Structure formats: C-alpha cells, structure tokens
Amino acid sequence: MESAPLPCPMTGVQLIDEYFIENRTRLLDLAAFLDRLDRAADPAVDADFRMRAFREAVRTLSGSDGDRVGRIQMIFSDPRTEPTDGLDQKSACGAYRPEKGER
C-alpha cells in the first residue's frame, strides 16, 4: 500500500531561500568529484559498478519525474529479494555490485 506524499508546508520560494546555498554547495562538490575522475583519465572508472550507479543517479536527479529520492535509493540498492546463503562482503560499498550477467 502506497501513501500519498505529504504536502510541503513551505512555499517554493521559502524552500529556495532556506536550502539553495547548501544544495548549491553539494552540486559543486559533485561537479568537483566528476572533474577529478575525468582528470584521472582512468578507463577503470567507467567499468566500476559504483560509478555506473552514480551516473545513473545523476541522470535521475536531473529528470522531472518526481520521487527522485525513491528512484535513486533503488539505483544504489540490492534488488535481490531472496536471502543469501551468507555474508557476501564485509563492508558496505555504497552501491549494489551486480553479479556477472546481471544488469
């Protein structure tokens, strides 16, 4: 059962006034990260599962289909629904690493 999103208690202008600067900073951080990756000129970056998910998330972020948070969470999430036989890794890596033949 899905629930309807709660209405925002602030106007659009109030949201911009309150949150524009911090989100501008985040956007610049992302741009700097992507620029550093470009300058690294490492072909392994494009093959990295985390960066594939990251770039898909950036594309989703710039869309206008709504529920960006939910869709981006799903991009980074493990889509499997069946329990695994055991622990498949010791620490989180921030994105789901597809097994060979997936995605």
Side-chain angles (χ1 to χ4, degrees):
M1 181 168 122
E2 290 189 31
S3 60
L6 296 173
C8 183
M10 299 172 79
T11 68
V13 172
Q14 288 172 325
L15 287 167
I16 293 168
D17 288 344
E18 185 70 25
Y19 299 108
F20 179 79
I21 293 296
E22 71 183 68
N23 285 293
R24 175 182 172 269
T25 301
R26 290 177 179 151
L27 192 56
L28 290 169
D29 285 343
L30 290 174
F33 173 60
L34 293 172
D35 284 349
R36 280 192 299 273
L37 286 173
D38 287 348
R39 287 193 304 271
D42 184 348
V45 169
D46 290 334
D48 189 286
F49 69 98
R50 294 165 296 187
M51 284 312 301
R52 286 196 309 263
F54 191 90
R55 292 186 193 283
E56 184 179 349
V58 169
R59 284 190 298 274
T60 299
L61 184 65
S62 64
S64 59
D65 295 336
D67 191 27
R68 291 178 189 88
V69 171
R71 289 184 292 129
I72 289 173
Q73 284 177 326
M74 292 309 297
I75 290 169
F76 291 118
S77 296
D78 184 341
R80 297 176 295 183
T81 57
E82 296 297 319
T84 58
D85 293 333
L87 187 63
D88 55 352
Q89 61 189 38
K90 289 186 176 183
S91 62
C93 54
Y96 173 66
R97 182 191 307 253
E99 295 178 12
K100 291 188 189 259
E102 285 186 79
R103 284 199 204 183

